[in-house]
Amino acid sequence: MAAAAGMTAKALRHYDRIGLFAPDDVDDDTGYRWYGSDRLPQARLIARLRSVGVPLDDVAACLAEAGHPDVVDRVLGDHRRRLESRLTRVRGDLHRLAHLVADDREDDMTTPTAPADLPVPPPTPPAPSAPDERRLAVDLFNGVWRLLETENRTRAQDDRMLHMAHASRYHWEQVGTAVHLARGEWQCARVYAVLGRAEPARHHAHRVLEICEENGIGDWDLAFGHEALARAAAVARDAAALRRHLADARAAAEHITDPDDRALLESDLQTIGDAAAPAS
């Protein structure tokens, strides 16, 4: 049974012990567990679900509702969202490490303050100082990533994430360099793409490239400008533009000096392929 189902005998015994998949009979003398051939589809389902890390409780739900294939679809959909959220969390950490400037690195690595926790300004606040502007830009930038990582965001959280991305871009304009502006535009493009809004995603992706070209910025930022355009094309289901921008992004990747940055770009590009798949 274990071999036919694609799992180990040890796993099959474990599933018996925890009550997930009990045998039809157990030999009192040898301790052998016996399963009818009609149990094989269930065993194979367990093996497939566990091979992609579906939690045991969800596997049990699928077995309990074996006559309802939509239950499996729901469980797999929920698990996919969890995995995508974890992946976004890791990508967010990598982007924060790579994007934040060296001269502010130690400050940027501290736990960011969410905008909701900022003090309410007085009716006529003084203009923020440069350090305050920088802190706001960083906190907002990091706050956007935290929301991108959030599973099952609400509509209000989507709105908050979008406004935070624009606010971060605004504060960088007050104290940052052209590189900061390009990265702010890139984050806006990413947020719009995540929200399924192709036109504004394209607009901000084009702004990334324009800022890079106007200021002689290459390497990481130029490559991710093309990545943002490819992601926007995927959202728009524009296959021709998607192929073109992916090719541009990979060509630009050859000029990224840091191999870790290049690897991050390549991994981001792979997620765009998934986004461009036809909707089910």
Side-chain angles (χ1 to χ4, degrees), residues 223-237:
F224 266 96
H226 292 295
E227 174 271 337
L229 277 174
R231 194 174 298 277
V235 174
R237 304 295 180 189

Side-chain angles (χ1 to χ4, degrees), residues 3 7 14 16 49 51 68 92 98 124 148 164 185 271 279:
M7 68 176 76
H14 174 65
D16 176 22
L49 294 175
S51 71
H68 301 280
T124 55
L148 284 169
M164 287 168 65
E185 294 288 350
T271 68

Side-chain angles (χ1 to χ4, degrees), residues 227 230-231 246 249-250 264-273:
E227 174 271 337
R231 194 174 298 277
L246 283 175
R250 291 194 168 101
L264 177 57
L265 174 69
E266 285 294 342
S267 68
D268 266 17
L269 294 179
Q270 290 172 10
T271 68
I272 296 175

Side-chain angles (χ1 to χ4, degrees), residues 73-90:
D73 291 342
R74 176 184 57 76
V75 165
L76 290 176
D78 291 344
H79 187 57
R80 179 186 178 91
R81 283 187 287 274
R82 285 194 297 269
L83 292 178
E84 289 175 341
S85 178
R86 293 172 195 165
L87 183 60
T88 300
R89 187 174 301 115
V90 173

Side-chain angles (χ1 to χ4, degrees), residues 59-75:
V59 174
C62 290
L63 293 178
E65 302 290 340
H68 301 280
D70 58 314
V71 173
V72 176
D73 291 342
R74 176 184 57 76
V75 165

Side-chain angles (χ1 to χ4, degrees), residues 129-234:
S129 65
D132 290 339
E133 292 274 13
R134 181 177 291 273
R135 172 49 53 195
L136 285 168
V138 170
D139 286 352
L140 289 160
F141 186 93
N142 290 340
V144 169
W145 275 110
R146 289 200 307 278
L147 285 169
L148 284 169
E149 297 159 5
T150 301
E151 297 180 26
N152 302 316
R153 284 188 312 274
T154 64
R155 186 172 181 179
Q157 288 175 316
D158 284 344
D159 290 342
R160 178 188 179 92
M161 177 173 66
L162 181 58
H163 296 316
M164 287 168 65
H166 282 288
S168 176
R169 165 64 178 81
Y170 167 79
H171 288 294
W172 277 128
E173 187 170 2
Q174 312 311 308
V175 294
T177 65
V179 168
H180 294 104
L181 301 186
R183 293 173 183 177
E185 294 288 350
W186 174 85
Q187 191 179 64
C188 288
R190 173 60 68 91
V191 169
Y192 277 115
V194 167
L195 297 179
R197 299 179 59 183
E199 190 282 325
R202 276 177 162 160
H203 168 79
H204 289 286
H206 278 297
R207 287 295 296 135
V208 175
L209 293 184
E210 289 169 357
I211 293 170
C212 287
E213 291 167 1
E214 291 167 2
N215 294 275
I217 301 170
D219 198 85
W220 161 284
D221 295 283
L222 182 63
F224 266 96
H226 292 295
E227 174 271 337
L229 277 174
R231 194 174 298 277

